[in-house]
Amino acid sequence: MSLSIQEGADIVARRWCQVKPGEKVLIITDDSHQAEGMALWYAVIRAHGAVSMLTIPENSSQPGHLFDTMLEFLLYNDVIIGATNFSLITTRAVREVLVHGKRFLSLPLATNNSQSMLTFDFLTMDPQKAASTADGMLAALREAHEIHVTTALGTDITFGKRGRTPGLFNGLADVPGKVGSSSFEIYIGIEETKTRGQAVVDGSLGYIGVPESPIALTFEDGRLMQIQDSAAGKSLRSYMDGFDDPGIYVAGEFGIGLNECSGCLGNCYIEDESTFTTFHIGMGRNLALGGIHDAAGHFDLVFKKPTIYAGSTLIMKDGQPAV
């Protein structure tokens, strides 16, 4: 059963951000999500926080650079909730507010079925259960310098993570300096020049949903070099070219979905990339994820039922944790 918008907003403000009486909370939203913005407003008020809301325009594919210009205003607040159509988590501004001890929650609200993201059942996932599922995989990933992934469809790809530390998103932005995300996942801002191999994407293409057929991709020296010349492949290339930035073709993130209440259905990209039994490659900007690559945006390619090695340690077999 779907949540109401207000029920979803209460989960965000009270369970994930754990807003305390008197804390200054900034909600950043956009014109098409006023209902969600107001629901979050009321949720913060009921938690006795001091709330303000900023509405930004939707005149670009991802307004991350506009967000970067707001740093001084952001630093006035204790908690910032980025409740816009697109994700703002990889921006320079988020990295800076975290350094200053602020909390940031990424709450991108884009959906493909006209349903409010705050009503999706995946918001009910237990943050502690996701953390427990991640423990063994995180331990192995911390020690590894490379990650190797295969799938039954032909994915055979290697990522470099030397000097990069894996992190956990499980909704929580509850302590100073912490970034949270509505995407429940293990994430790593991978080395930007090391990704190599073949990947057949069969789960989701981020904001544009489920591909009509799997798409074969080729990565070399960290970049997506070839996209299968099919209808689905042409759609993906057109979307990526729309960023007007070659930096979007850099593989910037490796992620593993942890949300057992999610389904990779193409209705909501956050739900897709969160889905338990999937992994994803984040294309483009990876600032605030431990990387150094800036770009005009960030979106994720989601793959089903991977087998994953962290160095020589098997951490996932056909989508199921192995440690």
Side-chain angles (χ1 to χ4, degrees):
M1 179 180 295
S2 296
L3 303 169
S4 70
I5 290 179
Q6 192 60 61
E7 287 172 331
D10 287 339
I11 289 173
V12 169
R14 297 189 176 200
R15 183 185 302 173
W16 292 359
C17 293
Q18 298 183 21
V19 174
K20 302 172 184 64
E23 283 195 313
K24 296 186 290 292
V25 180
L26 173 63
I27 299 164
I28 301 177
T29 190
D30 52 39
D31 291 331
S32 62
H33 295 99
Q34 293 296 300
E36 289 88 349
M38 290 309 301
L40 290 164
W41 175 290
Y42 288 123
V44 173
I45 291 295
R46 283 202 290 271
H48 304 290
V51 62
S52 56
M53 186 159 64
L54 176 67
T55 301
I56 63 174
E58 290 182 66
N59 57 2
S60 62
S61 62
Q62 296 198 35
H65 290 172
L66 172 63
F67 192 40
D68 286 340
T69 68
M70 302 176 182
L71 181 58
E72 184 175 353
F73 179 50
L74 302 184
L75 291 174
Y76 175 75
N77 297 275
D78 301 301
V79 185
I80 302 108
I81 301 174
T84 62
N85 205 44
F86 298 100
S87 174
L88 301 170
I89 199 168
T90 56
T91 59
R92 293 182 182 274
V94 169
R95 185 170 61 180
E96 288 300 312
V97 298
L98 299 175
V99 167
H100 286 82
K102 312 302 180 178
R103 314 200 300 275
F104 180 84
L105 177 69
S106 177
L107 192 71
L109 298 172
T111 65
N112 294 324
N113 65 349
S114 301
Q115 180 182 346
S116 171
M117 196 275 274
L118 291 181
T119 68
F120 278 69
D121 286 338
F122 74 83
L123 273 69
T124 64
M125 177 66 186
D126 180 357
Q128 300 309 322
K129 185 174 183 181
S132 177
T133 299
D135 278 347
M137 291 187 284
L138 280 169
L141 286 164
R142 290 187 191 103
E143 299 300 320
H145 295 313
E146 284 193 339
I147 304 162
H148 182 219
V149 184
T150 59
T151 68
L153 285 183
T155 294
D156 188 349
I157 190 167
T158 301
F159 307 90
K161 63 159 294 289
R162 191 179 296 271
R164 305 295 171 85
T165 303
L168 169 69
F169 288 142
N170 61 341
L172 299 183
D174 54 341
V175 296
K178 186 169 183 178
V179 59
S181 173
S182 48
S183 177
F184 283 43
E185 62 178 88
I186 292 170
Y187 68 89
I188 305 173
I190 51 179
E191 293 181 85
E192 294 81 3
T193 61
K194 300 298 184 180
T195 301
R196 62 189 186 277
Q198 309 298 313
V200 182
V201 57
D202 59 338
S204 173
L205 306 178
Y207 296 102
I208 53 179
V210 174
E212 58 184 83
S213 61
I215 306 169
L217 311 172
T218 301
F219 289 83
E220 298 175 8
D221 299 324
R223 299 185 65 88
L224 175 54
M225 301 299 291
Q226 291 185 312
I227 300 175
Q228 183 177 349
D229 188 20
S230 62
K234 289 175 181 176
S235 177
L236 174 59
R237 180 176 291 281
S238 176
Y239 177 76
M240 296 183 71
D241 286 346
F243 286 89
D244 195 27
D245 180 1
I248 200 68
Y249 283 88
V250 172
E253 178 204 4
F254 171 83
I256 299 173
L258 299 171
N259 195 324
E260 296 177 26
C261 299
S262 291
C264 189
L265 305 175
N267 294 324
C268 172
Y269 101 90
I270 284 292
E271 179 177 31
D272 293 345
E273 70 175 8
S274 297
T275 301
F276 186 61
T277 74
T278 70
F279 91 97
H280 56 272
I281 303 173
M283 303 301 302
R285 189 172 55 220
N286 64 4
L287 304 175
L289 299 176
I292 59 173
H293 179 63
D294 200 1
H298 174 99
F299 78 102
D300 297 279
L301 303 172
V302 184
F303 304 75
K304 297 178 179 178
K305 297 184 177 180
T307 293
I308 304 174
Y309 281 85
S312 61
T313 302
L314 177 66
I315 65 170
M316 181 168 277
K317 176 67 173 175
D318 297 328
Q320 296 297 322
V323 290

